[in-house]
């Protein structure tokens, strides 16, 4: 197994800062923006961006946590049943501009599930999607509005976004299978 | 920018290997705790603006009830519908069982309609186990005779953990008609697997032989039991299971005097929490004021029942098991 570091902690933090500005740029009323992190690493990335917005702009946008396990169409095809995690959206989604955050955009199935889930919570004015890494190989017509890095990958490779809170470091790695080398 | 680093393996999902839920005897303590951990996330769905998820929309579930049931059946049906499953209800009163159709024929006929799961309640112990040999569907035991009632025990455990997140070393008392109760057996098995200490208390005529073999302490003194326990679960006196109603004790009034929980008990022993699997015979197992007291968690047991059953349906609904 060959592991390559793609982004360092400094590069990740610069990307979070860019996202914070991009999220608020098109809005006359920044309070319209609501940020929702997708379990698991999207939650931590979302919290970081919320903290940056608070430092830079002096207000804290509404923040929620979403687990899409119940809405996935592929959970029974995996070897193990996926563990259900907490969902908490403590504000009304009606007419809000929601920004969904995840660590890696791959097939697009998770984002589709997330949109289904959000519709059951209310009727947002808009939903935009932000991912740290877009690794390609889409199976659905979905693209991200905010991308940290576009990273062409092989299907056999694995992209791992690491965050300090869970993994003890901020970094992005690509794990290459030895068969390909 | 690139460098080679040895990454530690990430935590995977818990490897839940069960295909059926026939009883808690077949489940490890880790399996039980995993279901309870997952159930807390299902509880949140019930509070959503649209309290429904499409997780089981490709599943067909048969509720096969050979015995009367109100809450267990409603709870299962609600859990199934909240998760988008197609539900078929079968009860003996309006079926060909009245025409003499055997259990095996019934289940084979139903399974030929392409079903994925069967929730079964039957007066004979072992029926859910028998069904696993007749059909390929996942079988969930909703009560078989006086044997087990695992989903009721799981929701009881879930409710207990809302009061005491760690049940290890906690004292749990089960009071009343121990002999006729399937909930007791499942509860004792589950509680012991989670590290709790269990005592059963009731009249000698309602105490089955060898009950201590299950690992529970036995007491015939209510005051002694209430002084010892953190949680007291009173059981319904199942008059319908006794041939002429009161053959096991002289009178309802005497039972209440000896084993009914009263407001005096609540004052005398200020720490224990009250539970009851329902329906409560007010004035028999406990005074009406006790059932409605703030230390009673009887109503939350009912709500928790839906969440726990959703978790069970989800976990048994498939996935490739190794």
């Amino acid at each position: 197994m060959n592991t390559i570091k793609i982004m360092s902690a400094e590069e990740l933090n610069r990307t979070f800062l860019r996202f914070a500005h991009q999220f608020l740029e098109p809005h006359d009323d920044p309070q319209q923006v609501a940020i929702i992190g997708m379990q698991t690493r999207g939650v931590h990335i979302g919290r970081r961006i919320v903290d940056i917005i608070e430092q830079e702009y002096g207000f804290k946008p509404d923040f929620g946590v979403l687990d899409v396990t119940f809405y996935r169409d592929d959970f029974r095809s995996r070897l193990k049943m996926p563990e259900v995690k907490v969902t908490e959206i403590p504000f009304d989604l009606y007419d809000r501009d929601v920004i969904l955050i995840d660590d890696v955009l791959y097939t697009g199935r998770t984002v589709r599930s997330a949109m289904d889930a959000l519709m059951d919570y209310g009727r947002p004015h808009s939903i935009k999607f932000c991912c740290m890494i877009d690794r390609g190989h889409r199976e659905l017509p979905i693209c991200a509005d905010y991308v940290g890095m576009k990273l062409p990958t092989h299907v056999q490779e694995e992209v791992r976004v690491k965050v300090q809170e869970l993994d003890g470091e901020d970094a992005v790695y690509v794990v290459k299978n030895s068969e390909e080398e | 920018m690139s460098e080679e680093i040895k990454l530690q393996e990430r935590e995977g999902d818990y490897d839940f290997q069960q295909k059926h839920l026939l009883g808690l005897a077949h489940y490890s303590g880790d399996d039980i705790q995993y279901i309870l951990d997952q159930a807390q996330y299902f509880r949140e769905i019930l509070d959503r603006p649209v309290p429904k998820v499409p997780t089981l929309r490709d599943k067909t579930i048969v509720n096969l009830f050979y015995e009367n049931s109100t809450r267990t059946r409603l709870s299962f049906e609600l859990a199934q519908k909240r998760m988008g499953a197609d539900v078929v209800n079968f009860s003996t009163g309006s079926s060909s069982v009245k025409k003499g159709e055997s259990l095996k024929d019934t289940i084979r006929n139903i399974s030929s309609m392409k079903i994925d799961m069967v929730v079964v309640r039957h007066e004979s112990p072992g029926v859910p186990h028998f069904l696993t040999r007749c059909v390929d569907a996942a079988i969930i035991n909703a009560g078989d005779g006086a044997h087990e009632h695992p989903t009721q025990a799981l929701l009881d455990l879930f409710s207990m953990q809302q009061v005491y997140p760690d049940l290890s070393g906690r004292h749990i008392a089960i009071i009343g008609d121990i002999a006729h109760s399937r909930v007791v057996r499942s509860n004792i098995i589950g509680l012991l697997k989670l590290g709790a200490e269990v005592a059963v208390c009731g009249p000698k005529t309602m105490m089955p032989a060898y009950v201590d073999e299950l690992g529970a302490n036995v007491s015939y003194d209510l005051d002694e039991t209430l002084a010892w326990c953190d949680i007291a679960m009173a059981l319904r006196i199942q008059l319908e299971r006794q041939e002429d109603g009161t053959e096991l004790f002289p009178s309802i009034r005497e039972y209440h005097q000896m084993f009914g929980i009263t407001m005096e008990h609540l004052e005398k022993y200020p720490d224990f929490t009250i539970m009851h699997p329902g329906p409560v015979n007010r004035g028999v197992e406990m005074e009406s004021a006790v059932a409605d007291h703030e230390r009673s968690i009887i109503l939350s047991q009912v709500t928790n029942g839906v969440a726990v059953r959703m978790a069970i349906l989800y976990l048994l609904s498939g996935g490739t098991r190794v």
Side-chain angles (χ1 to χ4, degrees):
Chain A
M1 205 167 66
N2 185 10
T3 305
I4 299 166
K5 193 171 189 176
I6 298 295
M7 284 176 96
S8 66
E10 192 188 341
E11 289 167 315
L12 268 175
N13 284 310
R14 272 208 303 270
T15 307
F16 295 154
L17 183 63
R18 168 164 64 88
F19 284 153
H21 293 304
Q22 281 182 317
F23 287 180
L24 299 189
E25 195 180 9
H27 295 281
D28 292 332
D29 177 12
Q31 307 276 2
Q32 271 291 100
V33 174
I35 295 174
I36 292 179
M38 290 164 66
Q39 292 278 20
T40 307
R41 280 160 182 78
V43 173
H44 298 284
I45 294 168
R47 282 209 178 99
R48 298 276 192 90
I49 296 167
V50 166
D51 289 344
I52 292 170
I53 290 173
E54 194 176 16
Q55 287 162 21
E56 297 283 321
Y57 292 90
F59 85 98
K60 199 166 187 166
D62 282 333
F63 179 69
V65 172
L66 181 65
D67 176 70
V68 298
T69 304
F70 298 129
Y71 290 82
R72 279 165 55 169
D73 58 359
D74 60 345
F75 75 91
R76 266 192 283 274
S77 62
R78 297 177 64 214
L79 205 59
K80 294 175 188 173
M81 298 293 280
E83 185 152 329
V84 180
K85 298 183 176 77
V86 74
T87 292
E88 192 179 2
I89 302 179
F91 49 88
D92 189 359
L93 286 182
Y94 181 76
D95 223 22
R96 302 293 296 274
D97 290 306
V98 173
I99 297 168
L100 268 176
I101 299 179
D102 205 357
D103 54 351
V104 179
L105 174 56
Y106 184 22
T107 61
R109 289 180 186 274
T110 310
V111 187
R112 186 209 61 81
S113 306
M115 287 191 283
D116 280 354
L118 286 180
M119 294 303 174
D120 281 352
Y121 275 91
R123 190 188 176 282
H125 174 257
S126 70
I127 300 174
K128 287 193 161 68
F129 181 60
C130 164
C131 67
M132 205 62 228
I133 304 291
D134 178 350
R135 62 167 296 188
H137 306 288
R138 213 75 76 243
E139 293 171 6
L140 296 171
I142 281 171
C143 70
D145 301 278
Y146 309 103
V147 181
M149 180 191 275
K150 271 191 185 288
L151 184 68
T153 56
H154 192 285
V155 177
Q156 300 293 325
E157 292 172 336
E158 191 184 346
V159 177
R160 293 185 186 176
V161 175
K162 296 191 147 239
V163 289
Q164 188 73 42
E165 297 87 337
L166 282 180
D167 312 297
E169 65 167 330
D170 289 332
V172 179
Y173 296 95
V174 171
V175 181
K176 293 177 181 287
N177 275 348
S178 51
E179 296 160 28
E180 306 162 30
E181 291 162 26
Chain B
M1 186 164 79
S2 60
E3 56 179 289
E4 290 204 22
I5 291 180
K6 190 182 176 189
L7 291 172
Q8 58 185 33
E9 282 299 310
R10 289 173 302 171
E11 277 182 47
D13 298 323
Y14 176 76
D15 196 5
F16 185 82
Q17 293 279 354
Q18 303 286 350
K19 186 179 186 242
H20 308 287
L21 176 58
L22 307 178
L24 292 190
H26 305 277
Y27 278 50
S28 69
D30 284 344
D31 284 342
I32 292 169
Q33 191 56 59
Y34 183 66
I35 294 171
L36 301 178
D37 288 344
Q38 292 285 278
Q40 64 185 315
Y41 301 126
F42 287 79
R43 178 72 189 75
E44 175 267 334
I45 293 172
L46 304 175
D47 298 325
R48 292 184 187 185
V50 179
K52 199 174 167 86
V53 290
T55 319
L56 300 183
R57 69 185 154 204
D58 57 339
K59 296 288 173 186
T60 305
I61 305 173
V62 175
N63 294 321
L64 198 59
F65 279 69
Y66 279 83
E67 247 188 359
N68 291 337
S69 162
T70 307
R71 269 132 356 103
T72 301
R73 184 174 171 158
L74 280 176
S75 178
F76 262 113
E77 205 172 325
L78 197 57
Q80 290 152 358
K81 288 178 174 172
R82 289 276 185 260
M83 297 185 78
D86 287 325
V87 181
V88 181
N89 285 310
F90 170 99
S91 59
T92 49
S94 56
S95 73
S96 290
V97 170
K98 290 279 182 208
K99 302 176 190 172
E101 188 179 58
S102 75
L103 172 66
K104 195 171 180 176
D105 284 340
T106 301
I107 191 66
R108 285 206 164 148
N109 277 305
I110 291 173
S111 75
S112 65
M113 299 173 197
K114 301 284 176 274
I115 53 161
D116 301 290
M117 300 172 98
V118 180
V119 176
V120 61
R121 168 171 287 197
H122 201 282
E123 63 195 357
S124 303
V127 163
H129 194 274
F130 170 72
L131 292 186
T132 62
R133 301 201 301 269
C134 303
V135 287
D136 193 31
I139 308 291
I140 297 171
N141 181 0
D144 58 337
H147 173 230
E148 278 220 45
H149 191 351
T151 60
Q152 178 68 45
L154 285 165
L155 77 88
D156 289 340
L157 294 170
F158 183 84
S159 305
M160 289 176 197
Q161 285 196 337
Q162 287 184 322
V163 184
Y164 298 110
D166 184 5
L167 289 175
S168 184
R170 288 287 169 189
H171 294 171
I172 316 296
I174 304 173
I175 299 153
D177 188 353
I178 307 299
H180 292 97
S181 175
R182 52 193 167 207
V183 179
V184 170
R185 191 181 162 85
S186 294
N187 261 303
I188 292 174
I189 293 167
L191 283 163
L192 293 176
K193 285 185 174 177
L194 296 183
E197 287 184 51
V198 188
V200 290
C201 171
K204 284 190 180 180
T205 49
M206 294 181 150
M207 199 63 74
Y210 309 113
V211 67
D212 52 336
E213 296 281 314
L214 281 172
N217 305 311
V218 183
S219 167
Y220 303 104
D221 185 310
L222 182 64
D223 273 82
E224 174 191 76
T225 304
L226 294 180
W228 170 84
C229 71
D230 297 308
I231 295 173
M233 187 194 300
L235 299 173
R236 187 171 66 90
I237 296 301
Q238 302 187 48
L239 300 175
E240 76 276 12
R241 288 189 194 272
Q242 296 178 47
E243 281 171 29
D244 63 354
T246 55
E247 64 174 8
L248 298 177
F249 49 83
S251 70
I252 297 278
R253 180 188 283 188
E254 179 167 319
Y255 177 85
H256 180 65
Q257 282 178 343
M258 299 289 289
F259 294 100
I261 301 173
T262 64
M263 289 303 287
E264 278 178 35
H265 288 126
L266 292 192
E267 286 162 28
K268 199 169 168 186
Y269 310 110
D271 296 325
F272 73 88
T273 302
I274 302 132
M275 290 176 69
H276 192 299
V280 181
N281 293 314
R282 287 169 183 263
V284 183
E285 297 102 42
M286 60 182 68
E287 283 178 0
S288 197
V290 171
D292 300 330
H293 197 271
E294 59 185 17
R295 280 162 58 188
S296 155
I297 56 169
I298 294 169
L299 279 180
S300 65
Q301 281 177 266
V302 179
T303 316
N304 293 340
V306 179
V308 168
R309 289 182 174 108
M310 284 169 84
I312 291 161
L313 290 166
Y314 169 72
L315 290 170
L316 296 178
S317 66
T320 312
R321 310 252 184 254
V322 189

